[in-house]
Amino acid sequence: MNRTHHYTLTFSCPDRVGIVARVTGFFAEHGGWILSSSQHADADSARYFMRVEVRADSLPFDHAELKRRFQVVATEFGMDWRISDSSVRRRVLMLVSTQEHCLYDLLARWKSQELDVDIVGVASNHEVFRGLVEWHGLPFHHIPVTKENKPEAFAKLEALFESSGADTMVLARYMQILPPSLCRKYPGQIINIHHSFLPSFAGAKPYHQAWDRGVKLIGATCHYVTEDLDEGPIIEQDVMRIDHSDSVEDLVRCGKDVEKGVLARGLRNHLEDRILINGHRTIVFG
Amino acid sequence: MNRTHHYTLTFSCPDRVGIVARVTGFFAEHGGWILSSSQHADADSARYFMRVEVRADSLPFDHAELKRRFQVVATEFGMDWRISDSSVRRRVLMLVSTQEHCLYDLLARWKSQELDVDIVGVASNHEVFRGLVEWHGLPFHHIPVTKENKPEAFAKLEALFESSGADTMVLARYMQILPPSLCRKYPGQIINIHHSFLPSFAGAKPYHQAWDRGVKLIGATCHYVTEDLDEGPIIEQDVMRIDHSDSVEDLVRCGKDVEKGVLARGLRNHLEDRILINGHRTIVFG
Amino acid sequence: MNRTHHYTLTFSCPDRVGIVARVTGFFAEHGGWILSSSQHADADSARYFMRVEVRADSLPFDHAELKRRFQVVATEFGMDWRISDSSVRRRVLMLVSTQEHCLYDLLARWKSQELDVDIVGVASNHEVFRGLVEWHGLPFHHIPVTKENKPEAFAKLEALFESSGADTMVLARYMQILPPSLCRKYPGQIINIHHSFLPSFAGAKPYHQAWDRGVKLIGATCHYVTEDLDEGPIIEQDVMRIDHSDSVEDLVRCGKDVEKGVLARGLRNHLEDRILINGHRTIVFG
Amino acid sequence: MNRTHHYTLTFSCPDRVGIVARVTGFFAEHGGWILSSSQHADADSARYFMRVEVRADSLPFDHAELKRRFQVVATEFGMDWRISDSSVRRRVLMLVSTQEHCLYDLLARWKSQELDVDIVGVASNHEVFRGLVEWHGLPFHHIPVTKENKPEAFAKLEALFESSGADTMVLARYMQILPPSLCRKYPGQIINIHHSFLPSFAGAKPYHQAWDRGVKLIGATCHYVTEDLDEGPIIEQDVMRIDHSDSVEDLVRCGKDVEKGVLARGLRNHLEDRILINGHRTIVFG
């Protein structure tokens, strides 16, 4: 992720003739060097989606001025848009429970700068990973969740997210259901990994469900969290072959590898502004 | 499938000490050369499942005598068993509708003897494939199915299956729901290919359902037909990656490749007696 | 492939600021509705590659006039370019030997119009598939190849390709090595399927080589034919898992499924002008 | 890996009638409950390979006595055999360099007891991971390797391996070539992960080689180390799809995920005595 300093424009707007020409013309006019661009026209919603990376040093102005100037184009086409600056690190709050695989995996990627973000902290309803997290020099927040204290616990979590300045919350096998109000407040900002190939086996104990149904592949799904449990827009999925000799425990074990890969790829795409939400579906620009 | 002449024993029985010893001892006693053997103990049902291939020419008796003698062992262990003879070709009745992919695929495998079976005929509710099927020297049966004639149509189909001496019915994208009575009559003998990764998207128009949910992989499922639609024991599944740029039509097109591969592998395993049904799950010996 | 009537522009040119703006501006100026566009900047060669699909009925002129007008842009940027018309069917000559899997597979796709091309004929060094091909209403050409007659045989093949007006030659497991002169004459027009995951196991008997090395996955490679055997630009590849219990014959059999899928996808991308050759590598716009 | 206490018998011997009967008969005679069994007859070498798991508490004697008694059977059939005891943890020495992905991955599996072994220590030619390793309570050994000190460095490594009582050495992206003498001394005990789909791209900088050749999938290979670099018996392989937009750096990054998965699965199979070496090939009992 540590590439040339660049700005990433993403937008969607009603589809019509001339969008790409206008957008790329805007950049060309100022000498903007396009590093990559992707687009998608959605026939169903009649909307156009685009993502453009432009070298920062090819433009004669800074991020703020770019945004100010692009506003004209955006208004003209009725765009829902944003321009991010690759020199400003994304800020991520991680939520974990007692399973280690996603946490270790993301820490390794962060440590090697493959995941070039600021992890503002790791919150958990258990103390298990305090040592590991703190050894990495990251703040660990123990927020116990019980049947009785849920409102306070999640208020604490929300306060933590707000005060940390994080833009993304990652549920790395957090195993707690967030309250609807929290889900609604941060649309497209909370990422979950569900341990099944959704829509199969939503809800609890998906590996038990999968074993019981006798499927020949198990999977995992990374999705944005909405107030409808396991129904949010899907970001990434993958599967792994199993067979009759695998017990539920084997499924749980094998599934971990699928889960951590799917979460890491989904999160990466999110952090690079590659995902645009289109209703309950996503566009993922490769 | 055209291997050395061999007998294939498959059985299940209550699990206990000494099953493999007794079975392999039985063969060893007569000089039986075991080509391959596979076994599975199912903790849930406390049953043992086994498949053994023995060279025919290593035994001092024929198929009938083998079965007679093995009956003793089978009775001792309370086995549900069968012994098939590789020199006796399996007989398959194929059912198709108007889609060509599974039909061409299975015909190619049959023509090259990769699928070393007798196709006793192809039945369809449409005339579309008469020419192709008859060019291959196979009988084609047009059995129209309308809202009004269903009972007669399926009675005709059942009569055809019975009179053909087929042991297996393959629904190669037949697109008609068989009546419960037919499904009950031939448990473990009717194979269907469903165009989704079950249990997701059971029922009609699975690719439309998949597109609408925004999944990132589509799949297909080969299963035994039971009276519960799309609920039969799963034999084989596979998936293919798609993305936001794929329309429903793209999903239908790409899905065909998954469907034909899954059906072919599932059918092959069925014909080689590699599949043992364990309740609503299957054991597939590789 | 039977989509809205459209033109497909593909080009490469030295990379510089303003290419996309100029090209999309050209279309926008004339009301051109862009159905899809893809681009790639190759850092190594400092070249830019692009593919654009434009609705034919959104432009106020026809294919010939479009090409005449676009020439100005092309010259300005030093483009290596072409614009194809989706209403003009591509013309394909197929070459086969005695293996049926790729032939049946491509015929099924052609029959169902998934592969919306004119197959101008099937040429073979064997008579095996005359019946099947002619049953499909396609010309079959038997061109025997022996050690002695190679120059004449390949001259005949070349004459056939020329006279047929085909633009693409597909070696669907043809099993003969084309003479260098022929390869040189039609760069980017001859597609081969090699039965290994190149560069592993180039040359003869790749499945024997794979078995002998003990690999855990086997593969197939679709590539453009150049005079360097098995060294042409790779278009598409795929693999399949095998294990120690698989014999060479099993590898051959399983490999067929990989081969036909890889060839079909590669050919489709070629026919839709999705492949741009960049030296000995390819750009494949999805 | 923390299953019921069991013994695992693995052996190979010349193929002949009655092997399975004799082996399973031996266990049955003593009331031995077979948890799973797998076998393979290799036509090429005319050898038979088998793996059997037996519940420890179903036998009336201990591990030592089991081995003593089984010796009779083993001698009778000329077996190359071993019987391991699941209650005796395997001992592993890990070798790393400066890349974190395999190390973090294996530590996570060890921490969660998915990998139920004793890691006797981590040796490295760099100091980078001392902190992480020691935080996990494991000994870290810095053994610098330079052009000049190779003989001493590897002598030190060998002494460490010997004194640690480890039975397996894992090269988790160690990036140093072990001396032939060391490789010869521990056949089937040293496991390496190579960052290509062997036999393609053996040697240095495989991702650069892969990018240059323009392959559409990259892979990784886990194999036993022999004195022929990258030529040892392959244990496990896997691949990942890439495309023209991926740079060499992208290949390196994506490849890490393949590498760590392949190494973990290969190592697990090794530790569970699932791998039998057959010349330069392996049998991997699933």
Side-chain angles (χ1 to χ4, degrees):
Chain A
M1 281 161 129
N2 34 19
R3 300 220 348 240
T4 318
H5 180 200
H6 62 271
Y7 302 122
T8 304
L9 163 68
T10 46
F11 69 83
S12 72
C13 65
D15 201 358
R16 69 180 227 207
V17 167
I19 303 172
V20 182
R22 184 71 180 90
V23 170
T24 58
F26 167 83
F27 287 115
E29 197 181 310
H30 300 291
W33 182 277
I34 294 178
L35 287 165
S36 83
S37 99
S38 310
Q39 44 277 117
H40 174 64
D42 183 52
D44 245 46
S45 61
R47 285 185 78 78
Y48 198 79
F49 298 80
M50 191 165 181
R51 178 184 185 276
V52 188
E53 283 183 11
V54 185
R55 278 186 77 125
D57 64 9
S58 69
L59 289 171
F61 35 65
D62 68 6
H63 188 212
E65 180 66 11
L66 169 60
K67 289 197 283 187
R68 212 185 53 78
R69 296 203 183 204
F70 190 76
Q71 182 63 61
V72 181
V73 181
T75 304
E76 191 182 327
F77 286 80
M79 291 176 181
D80 185 1
W81 66 290
R82 70 178 275 176
I83 298 177
S84 67
D85 180 340
S86 73
S87 70
V88 179
R89 272 198 179 141
R90 302 292 295 266
R91 295 173 69 77
V92 173
L93 177 67
M94 284 177 58
L95 273 61
V96 300
S97 185
T98 59
Q99 294 202 36
E100 78 303 325
H101 54 295
C102 291
L103 177 62
Y104 266 82
D105 186 73
L106 293 176
L107 286 176
R109 293 175 200 271
W110 169 79
K111 190 79 178 163
S112 68
Q113 293 179 292
E114 175 195 316
L115 204 60
D116 193 22
V117 300
D118 284 336
I119 298 181
V120 301
V122 177
S124 179
N125 49 340
H126 294 273
E127 280 282 5
V128 187
F129 295 116
R130 177 181 295 278
L132 181 73
V133 169
E134 293 184 349
W135 182 85
H136 280 86
L138 299 170
F140 182 85
H141 309 272
H142 183 212
I143 305 179
V145 180
T146 63
K147 269 190 183 167
E148 294 72 32
N149 82 344
K150 285 201 176 177
E152 305 95 276
F154 289 117
K156 218 181 264 186
L157 182 64
E158 188 177 329
L160 174 63
F161 187 60
E162 283 293 327
S163 68
S164 70
D167 51 73
T168 300
M169 201 188 290
V170 177
L171 280 62
R173 297 302 309 277
Y174 178 52
M175 308 301 280
Q176 294 291 326
I177 298 168
L178 300 188
S181 59
L182 196 61
C183 302
R184 270 195 307 270
K185 191 167 174 188
Y186 304 109
Q189 290 184 264
I190 310 178
I191 291 178
N192 184 42
I193 177 73
H194 182 77
H195 41 315
S196 86
F197 184 68
L198 291 173
S200 287
F201 315 131
K205 294 194 172 281
Y207 291 123
H208 287 77
Q209 295 181 54
W211 187 90
D212 190 63
R213 181 60 187 93
V215 292
K216 299 301 182 187
L217 302 165
I218 53 165
T221 303
C222 177
H223 63 94
Y224 285 118
V225 173
T226 62
E227 54 189 309
D228 299 314
L229 186 66
D230 300 333
E231 293 288 330
I234 294 171
I235 298 171
E236 170 67 338
Q237 299 185 294
D238 210 348
V239 294
M240 176 175 283
R241 190 160 284 272
I242 54 164
D243 71 26
H244 61 266
S245 69
D246 290 306
S247 63
V248 172
E249 290 68 38
D250 292 324
L251 268 52
V252 169
R253 174 176 51 78
C254 294
K256 286 179 173 185
D257 286 344
V258 186
E259 293 164 31
K260 71 190 187 196
V262 166
L263 176 58
R265 289 199 298 278
L267 177 57
R268 181 181 181 84
N269 282 330
H270 168 81
L271 295 171
E272 292 187 347
D273 293 314
R274 295 184 179 279
I275 309 176
L276 281 77
I277 298 179
N278 183 20
H280 56 289
R281 310 173 75 242
T282 61
I283 285 134
V284 182
F285 288 127
Chain B
M1 283 160 126
N2 34 19
R3 301 226 341 247
T4 318
H5 181 198
H6 62 271
Y7 304 122
T8 305
L9 162 69
T10 46
F11 69 84
S12 72
C13 65
D15 200 358
R16 67 179 228 210
V17 167
I19 303 173
V20 180
R22 183 71 179 91
V23 170
T24 57
F26 167 83
F27 287 115
E29 197 181 311
H30 299 292
W33 183 276
I34 294 179
L35 288 165
S36 82
S37 99
S38 310
Q39 44 278 116
H40 174 65
D42 183 51
D44 244 47
S45 61
R47 285 185 78 77
Y48 197 79
F49 298 81
M50 190 166 181
R51 178 185 185 274
V52 187
E53 285 183 10
V54 185
R55 278 186 78 125
D57 63 9
S58 70
L59 289 171
F61 34 67
D62 67 6
H63 188 211
E65 181 65 11
L66 169 60
K67 289 196 284 188
R68 211 184 54 76
R69 296 201 182 206
F70 190 76
Q71 182 63 62
V72 181
V73 181
T75 303
E76 191 182 328
F77 286 81
M79 291 178 180
D80 184 3
W81 66 290
R82 68 179 277 177
I83 298 177
S84 67
D85 179 340
S86 73
S87 71
V88 179
R89 273 198 178 142
R90 303 292 295 265
R91 296 172 69 77
V92 173
L93 176 67
M94 285 176 58
L95 273 61
V96 300
S97 185
T98 60
Q99 294 202 35
E100 78 302 325
H101 56 294
C102 290
L103 177 62
Y104 265 82
D105 186 73
L106 292 177
L107 285 176
R109 293 176 200 270
W110 169 79
K111 190 78 178 167
S112 68
Q113 293 178 292
E114 175 194 317
L115 204 59
D116 193 23
V117 300
D118 284 336
I119 298 180
V120 301
V122 177
S124 179
N125 50 340
H126 294 274
E127 280 281 5
V128 186
F129 294 117
R130 178 180 293 279
L132 180 73
V133 169
E134 293 184 348
W135 182 86
H136 281 85
L138 298 171
F140 182 86
H141 308 272
H142 183 212
I143 305 179
V145 179
T146 64
K147 269 190 184 169
E148 295 73 31
N149 83 345
K150 287 201 173 174
E152 305 96 276
F154 289 116
K156 217 180 265 184
L157 182 63
E158 187 177 330
L160 173 63
F161 187 61
E162 283 293 328
S163 68
S164 70
D167 52 73
T168 300
M169 201 187 291
V170 177
L171 281 62
R173 294 304 308 275
Y174 178 52
M175 308 300 280
Q176 294 291 325
I177 298 169
L178 299 187
S181 60
L182 196 61
C183 301
R184 271 194 306 269
K185 191 168 175 188
Y186 304 109
Q189 290 185 264
I190 311 178
I191 291 178
N192 184 43
I193 177 74
H194 181 77
H195 40 316
S196 85
F197 183 68
L198 290 173
S200 288
F201 316 130
K205 294 194 172 282
Y207 291 123
H208 287 77
Q209 295 180 55
W211 188 91
D212 190 63
R213 181 61 187 90
V215 291
K216 300 301 182 188
L217 301 165
I218 53 167
T221 304
C222 177
H223 63 95
Y224 285 117
V225 173
T226 62
E227 54 189 308
D228 298 314
L229 187 66
D230 301 333
E231 293 288 331
I234 293 171
I235 299 171
E236 170 67 339
Q237 300 186 293
D238 210 349
V239 294
M240 176 176 284
R241 191 160 283 273
I242 54 163
D243 71 27
H244 61 266
S245 70
D246 291 305
S247 63
V248 173
E249 291 68 36
D250 292 324
L251 267 52
V252 169
R253 174 176 51 78
C254 294
K256 286 179 173 184
D257 286 344
V258 186
E259 294 165 29
K260 71 189 187 198
V262 166
L263 176 58
R265 288 198 300 276
L267 178 58
R268 179 182 182 84
N269 282 332
H270 168 80
L271 295 170
E272 291 186 348
D273 293 313
R274 295 184 180 279
I275 309 176
L276 281 78
I277 298 179
N278 183 19
H280 56 288
R281 309 174 74 242
T282 62
I283 286 135
V284 182
F285 288 127
Chain C
M1 283 161 126
N2 34 19
R3 302 225 341 246
T4 318
H5 180 198
H6 63 270
Y7 303 122
T8 305
L9 163 69
T10 46
F11 69 84
S12 73
C13 65
D15 200 358
R16 68 181 229 207
V17 167
I19 302 173
V20 181
R22 184 71 180 92
V23 169
T24 57
F26 167 84
F27 286 116
E29 196 182 312
H30 299 292
W33 183 277
I34 293 178
L35 289 165
S36 83
S37 98
S38 310
Q39 44 277 117
H40 175 64
D42 183 52
D44 245 47
S45 61
R47 284 186 78 78
Y48 198 79
F49 297 81
M50 191 167 182
R51 179 184 184 274
V52 188
E53 284 184 9
V54 185
R55 278 186 77 125
D57 64 9
S58 69
L59 289 172
F61 34 67
D62 68 5
H63 187 212
E65 180 64 11
L66 169 60
K67 290 197 284 188
R68 210 184 55 77
R69 296 203 182 206
F70 190 77
Q71 181 64 62
V72 180
V73 181
T75 303
E76 193 181 327
F77 286 80
M79 291 176 180
D80 184 2
W81 66 290
R82 70 179 275 177
I83 298 177
S84 67
D85 180 340
S86 73
S87 71
V88 179
R89 273 199 178 139
R90 302 292 296 265
R91 295 173 69 77
V92 172
L93 177 67
M94 284 176 59
L95 272 61
V96 299
S97 184
T98 60
Q99 294 202 35
E100 78 303 325
H101 55 294
C102 291
L103 177 62
Y104 265 82
D105 185 73
L106 293 177
L107 285 176
R109 293 174 199 271
W110 170 80
K111 190 79 178 164
S112 67
Q113 292 179 291
E114 176 195 314
L115 204 60
D116 193 23
V117 300
D118 285 335
I119 297 180
V120 301
V122 177
S124 179
N125 49 339
H126 294 274
E127 280 281 5
V128 186
F129 294 117
R130 177 180 294 279
L132 179 73
V133 169
E134 292 184 349
W135 182 85
H136 280 86
L138 299 171
F140 182 85
H141 307 273
H142 183 212
I143 305 178
V145 180
T146 62
K147 269 191 183 168
E148 294 73 32
N149 83 345
K150 285 201 174 174
E152 304 96 274
F154 289 118
K156 218 181 263 185
L157 182 64
E158 187 177 331
L160 173 62
F161 186 61
E162 283 293 327
S163 67
S164 70
D167 52 72
T168 300
M169 201 187 291
V170 177
L171 280 61
R173 295 302 310 274
Y174 178 51
M175 309 300 281
Q176 295 290 326
I177 297 169
L178 300 188
S181 59
L182 196 61
C183 302
R184 272 196 306 269
K185 191 167 175 188
Y186 304 109
Q189 290 185 264
I190 311 178
I191 291 178
N192 185 42
I193 177 73
H194 182 76
H195 40 317
S196 85
F197 183 67
L198 289 173
S200 286
F201 314 131
K205 295 195 171 281
Y207 291 123
H208 288 77
Q209 294 181 54
W211 188 90
D212 190 62
R213 182 61 186 90
V215 291
K216 300 301 183 188
L217 302 164
I218 53 166
T221 304
C222 177
H223 64 93
Y224 285 118
V225 173
T226 62
E227 54 189 309
D228 299 314
L229 187 64
D230 301 331
E231 294 287 330
I234 293 171
I235 298 172
E236 170 68 338
Q237 300 186 293
D238 210 349
V239 294
M240 176 176 283
R241 191 161 283 272
I242 55 165
D243 71 27
H244 61 266
S245 69
D246 291 304
S247 63
V248 173
E249 291 67 38
D250 292 324
L251 268 50
V252 168
R253 173 176 52 78
C254 294
K256 285 180 173 185
D257 286 344
V258 187
E259 294 165 30
K260 72 189 187 197
V262 166
L263 177 58
R265 289 198 300 277
L267 178 58
R268 180 181 181 85
N269 283 332
H270 168 80
L271 294 170
E272 292 187 346
D273 293 314
R274 295 185 181 278
I275 308 175
L276 279 79
I277 297 178
N278 183 20
H280 56 288
R281 309 174 74 243
T282 62
I283 286 135
V284 181
F285 289 127
Chain D
M1 283 161 125
N2 33 18
R3 299 217 353 237
T4 317
H5 180 198
H6 62 271
Y7 303 122
T8 304
L9 163 68
T10 46
F11 69 83
S12 73
C13 65
D15 201 358
R16 69 182 227 208
V17 168
I19 303 172
V20 181
R22 184 71 179 90
V23 170
T24 57
F26 166 84
F27 287 115
E29 197 180 310
H30 299 292
W33 183 277
I34 294 179
L35 288 164
S36 83
S37 96
S38 311
Q39 44 278 113
H40 174 65
D42 184 52
D44 245 47
S45 61
R47 284 186 80 77
Y48 198 79
F49 298 81
M50 190 166 181
R51 178 184 185 275
V52 188
E53 284 183 9
V54 185
R55 277 186 78 124
D57 63 9
S58 69
L59 289 171
F61 35 66
D62 68 5
H63 187 211
E65 179 66 10
L66 170 59
K67 289 197 284 188
R68 210 184 54 78
R69 296 203 181 204
F70 189 75
Q71 181 64 61
V72 181
V73 182
T75 304
E76 191 182 329
F77 287 81
M79 292 177 180
D80 184 3
W81 66 291
R82 70 178 275 177
I83 298 177
S84 66
D85 179 340
S86 73
S87 70
V88 179
R89 273 198 178 141
R90 302 293 294 265
R91 295 173 68 78
V92 173
L93 176 67
M94 285 176 59
L95 273 60
V96 300
S97 184
T98 61
Q99 293 202 37
E100 79 301 327
H101 55 294
C102 291
L103 177 62
Y104 265 82
D105 186 73
L106 293 177
L107 285 176
R109 293 175 200 270
W110 170 79
K111 189 81 178 161
S112 68
Q113 292 178 291
E114 175 194 317
L115 204 61
D116 192 22
V117 300
D118 283 336
I119 297 180
V120 300
V122 177
S124 179
N125 50 339
H126 295 272
E127 280 281 7
V128 186
F129 295 117
R130 178 181 294 278
L132 180 72
V133 169
E134 292 184 348
W135 182 85
H136 280 86
L138 299 170
F140 182 85
H141 309 272
H142 183 211
I143 305 178
V145 179
T146 63
K147 270 190 183 168
E148 293 72 32
N149 82 344
K150 286 200 175 176
E152 305 94 275
F154 290 118
K156 218 180 264 184
L157 182 63
E158 188 177 330
L160 173 63
F161 186 61
E162 283 293 327
S163 68
S164 70
D167 51 72
T168 300
M169 201 189 289
V170 177
L171 281 60
R173 295 303 308 276
Y174 178 53
M175 308 301 280
Q176 294 291 327
I177 299 169
L178 300 188
S181 60
L182 196 61
C183 302
R184 270 195 308 266
K185 190 168 176 188
Y186 305 109
Q189 289 185 264
I190 310 177
I191 291 178
N192 185 42
I193 177 73
H194 181 77
H195 40 316
S196 85
F197 184 68
L198 289 174
S200 287
F201 315 131
K205 294 196 171 279
Y207 291 123
H208 288 77
Q209 294 182 53
W211 189 91
D212 191 62
R213 181 60 187 92
V215 292
K216 300 300 183 189
L217 302 165
I218 53 165
T221 303
C222 176
H223 63 94
Y224 285 117
V225 173
T226 62
E227 55 189 308
D228 299 314
L229 187 66
D230 300 333
E231 293 289 330
I234 294 171
I235 298 172
E236 170 67 339
Q237 300 186 293
D238 209 348
V239 294
M240 176 175 282
R241 191 160 284 272
I242 54 163
D243 72 26
H244 61 266
S245 69
D246 290 305
S247 63
V248 173
E249 289 69 37
D250 292 324
L251 267 52
V252 169
R253 175 176 50 79
C254 294
K256 285 179 174 184
D257 286 344
V258 186
E259 293 163 31
K260 72 189 186 196
V262 166
L263 176 58
R265 289 198 300 277
L267 177 59
R268 180 180 182 84
N269 283 330
H270 168 81
L271 295 171
E272 292 187 347
D273 293 313
R274 296 184 180 278
I275 309 176
L276 280 77
I277 298 178
N278 183 18
H280 56 290
R281 310 174 74 243
T282 62
I283 285 135
V284 183
F285 288 126

